[in-house]
Amino acid sequence: MNINIVGCGKVGYTLVEQLGGENHNITVIDTNEEKVNSITDDLDAMGIVGNGVSFQTLSEAGIDHADLLIAVTGSDEQNLLCCVIAKKAGHCKTIARVRNPIYNNEIAFLREELGLAMIINPELSSAAEIARIFQFPSAVKIDTFSKGRIELLHFRVTHDCLLNNYELIHIRTTLKCDVLVCMVTRDNQVLIPRGDFVFREGDVVAIVSTPPKANDFFKKIGIGAGRARTAMIVGGGTIAYYLARRLLEVGIHTKIIDQDPARCEHLSELLPKASIICGDGTDERLLIQEGLENVDAFAALTGLDEENILLSLYAKRTSRAKVVTKINRINFSGVLSDIKLDTISYPRLVTADMIIKYARSMNESLNSNVENLYKLEDGHAEALEFYIKEDSAVTNIPLNRLHIRKNILVCSIVRGGQAIIPSGQDELHVGDYVVVVLTHARLNDIKDIIEG
């Protein structure tokens, strides 16, 4: 697949690094010659020094042969204009990063009227991710599929959790919980477990379930359940604004602490239902005074990674809150995993991750019947979404009678807009969207899930 990327910042570099390793032909465009040379020297990409809004520059980059153009410069307007010109010049799919909140309510309009494949607001997406976590505090991470209809909840097995040394089959037979365990990460290995699998302390387990049934499951295994009712946010930036707005919409009382008086006044106007505190969020006395010890959820969203880490560690020690830590730099992820923070949010990776998912899905759809492709657990597992167009060897037969290959699991079915968590008695029908989780395998068609 031929991909043009306009903008050679950190997101552009990450995109080239990830997509370049998948045998795509990539051309990067930027007005900064030093940035272009840096990417082309380090990674497998062609480079063009010039303005991505210029038709001549895009033509030089081969826009007439491009399958996808991605605009991630520092200017929203330039990104949008670049995509419009690219579509007129080359008829390719286009993606624009748009960050300014003033465009937030117009994203659907802009995407439709300008003919874009995707518009990404990384701050809004990060806030949505954190909000989902706060509504499921037991989860350390949540992946979403099928346009948000399906959620994969990841949680860690603790020493006093009922699942410690517990056999998987007993979740349904003994606990009577209607959840589907999709995969388990143990010692950096991703496993698709069978019924005789035994959980251990430290395992990160991913389940698919509906919210009420997931909450019932978490209560029964003793790791806490129920969404947060109160939240404290330190740092009053754009992510904090989007997050507070989402939390307030679902009835979570939200407090924001920021030391910039002008920003606090602005937030008070934008979020009249939130409690806005003007003060130093790193002041222990202020945090205690504002009720840190009793909050259900805490987000450290200042502009400094070090501050966010220290705040998160203090919140974990002082309260029983679900803690989310915003980290901008991604170079020290291995060190951060040793600190054992609850959940880490990487806003700079959000844009890259969403674009990479789209590009992979687009590439897969060119060569197979895969509708969407999602990389899980740092690429050690995949979730593939198929649309069943016709009857075949896998349709109208109970799943427990299909000879499904090892390390493959049918984890969800969307039928008529409704999500189904499949059991052995469920069947696949024409018109279904089916999500399959797999490791150590490759599928081009839904029929490939069965042996032979």
Side-chain angles (χ1 to χ4, degrees):
M1 191 161 71
N2 298 316
I3 302 174
N4 285 2
I5 298 174
V6 182
C8 290
K10 292 183 178 179
V11 172
Y13 190 97
T14 302
L15 289 171
V16 177
E17 188 176 39
Q18 294 288 320
L19 294 172
E22 299 175 4
N23 298 319
H24 298 298
N25 299 315
I26 298 178
T27 302
V28 294
I29 305 166
D30 200 289
T31 55
N32 188 316
E33 184 176 0
E34 186 178 343
K35 287 184 177 180
V36 172
N37 291 337
S38 176
I39 287 185
T40 54
D41 288 346
D42 293 348
L43 305 172
D44 185 16
M46 296 287 290
I48 300 290
V49 179
N51 191 330
V53 174
S54 163
F55 170 74
Q56 182 177 342
T57 301
L58 290 176
S59 298
E60 187 181 348
I63 193 64
D64 51 332
H65 299 299
D67 300 296
L68 177 64
L69 178 132
I70 304 162
V72 287
T73 74
S75 165
D76 294 346
E77 292 76 15
Q78 184 172 336
N79 291 339
L80 290 168
L81 184 55
C82 178
C83 288
V84 171
I85 294 173
K87 278 197 70 66
K88 296 290 184 182
H91 309 289
C92 59
K93 301 284 187 183
T94 57
I95 297 174
R97 180 177 65 178
V98 177
R99 307 175 70 177
N100 195 321
I102 66 171
Y103 295 119
N104 184 46
N105 294 326
E106 302 169 4
I107 283 179
F109 171 81
L110 291 170
R111 186 176 62 240
E112 185 174 342
E113 292 300 315
L114 301 181
L116 277 65
M118 184 186 296
I119 293 179
I120 298 174
N121 182 331
E123 285 78 16
L124 181 60
S125 298
S126 295
E129 192 175 80
I130 297 169
R132 285 196 297 270
I133 290 287
F134 283 171
Q135 291 181 71
F136 266 110
S138 302
V140 295
K141 181 185 175 187
I142 300 177
D143 291 307
T144 59
F145 312 124
S146 300
K147 299 179 180 178
R149 296 188 187 97
I150 303 294
E151 290 187 338
L152 196 62
L153 306 175
H154 304 249
F155 67 94
R156 185 171 282 104
V157 176
T158 58
H159 176 72
D160 53 356
C161 170
L162 179 64
L163 287 193
N164 192 12
N165 297 317
Y166 200 78
E167 200 169 4
L168 187 152
I169 194 171
H170 294 311
I171 290 177
R172 282 185 183 258
T173 59
T174 305
L175 294 182
K176 307 294 184 184
C177 291
D178 190 12
V179 302
L180 181 65
V181 176
C182 294
M183 60 185 180
V184 178
T185 304
R186 174 183 293 173
D187 300 329
N188 295 319
Q189 277 192 310
V190 180
L191 312 168
I192 306 291
R194 302 268 180 173
D196 59 354
F197 181 85
V198 178
F199 298 100
R200 289 199 325 228
E201 180 183 355
D203 287 348
V204 176
V205 182
I207 64 167
V208 173
S209 185
T210 60
K213 290 175 180 176
N215 275 326
D216 178 60
F217 170 68
F218 286 137
K219 285 179 183 175
K220 286 183 177 179
I221 65 173
I223 64 170
R227 74 177 189 186
R229 291 179 173 81
T230 58
M232 178 182 289
I233 302 169
V234 178
T238 306
I239 296 177
Y241 160 69
Y242 285 134
L243 175 59
R245 196 177 67 179
R246 281 183 173 260
L247 297 179
L248 292 166
E249 285 172 356
V250 295
I252 298 176
H253 177 72
T254 304
K255 183 175 291 187
I256 301 176
I257 301 175
D258 193 274
Q259 57 186 346
D260 182 348
R263 181 60 180 170
C264 288
E265 186 174 343
H266 186 52
L267 287 171
S268 296
E269 295 172 0
L270 294 173
L271 303 165
K273 293 184 179 179
S275 299
I276 310 298
I277 308 300
C278 188
D280 183 359
T282 62
D283 185 336
E284 294 181 28
R285 288 176 298 178
L286 177 62
L287 293 173
I288 297 299
Q289 180 183 321
E290 294 302 328
L292 173 62
E293 294 171 305
N294 299 313
V295 296
D296 301 318
F298 179 88
L301 305 180
T302 77
L304 296 173
D305 291 352
E306 296 83 0
E307 244 180 44
N308 292 336
I309 293 169
L310 291 173
L311 281 166
S312 298
L313 293 174
Y314 181 68
K316 280 175 64 69
R317 193 185 75 180
T318 308
S319 71
R320 302 190 61 170
K322 176 66 180 182
V323 178
V324 173
T325 313
K326 186 187 81 168
I327 300 293
N328 287 314
R329 285 171 292 183
I330 61 176
N331 314 65
F332 303 105
S333 57
V335 175
L336 291 174
S337 64
D338 293 336
I339 298 176
K340 295 184 178 177
L341 299 167
D342 274 2
T343 298
I344 299 175
S345 174
Y346 294 100
R348 285 184 176 172
L349 286 181
V350 168
T351 302
D353 284 348
M354 293 178 72
I355 293 171
I356 289 165
K357 283 179 182 178
Y358 180 87
R360 284 170 174 160
S361 298
M362 183 178 166
N363 190 50
E364 287 291 326
S365 65
L366 292 174
N367 304 302
S368 69
N369 293 322
V370 175
E371 292 284 319
N372 288 298
L373 181 149
Y374 312 86
K375 292 284 186 179
L376 305 172
E377 303 301 328
D378 296 324
H380 295 296
E382 292 181 348
L384 303 180
E385 184 173 7
F386 296 93
Y387 176 67
I388 301 184
K389 300 175 184 177
E390 58 188 10
D391 284 323
S392 69
V394 299
T395 57
N396 307 312
I397 300 171
L399 292 174
N400 59 9
R401 288 175 51 194
L402 293 174
H403 298 290
I404 296 177
R405 292 161 56 191
K406 189 178 178 182
N407 296 318
I408 294 176
L409 180 71
V410 177
C411 74
S412 71
I413 303 167
V414 176
R415 181 176 298 151
Q418 298 297 313
I420 300 169
I421 310 304
S423 66
Q425 288 71 47
D426 283 297
E427 301 175 354
L428 306 182
H429 296 163
V430 172
D432 288 349
Y433 286 91
V434 181
V435 176
V436 177
V437 172
L438 57 118
T439 62
H440 312 299
R442 193 69 183 163
L443 304 180
N444 290 316
D445 192 281
I446 187 63
K447 297 188 289 291
D448 294 339
I449 68 171
I450 57 177
E451 293 178 346

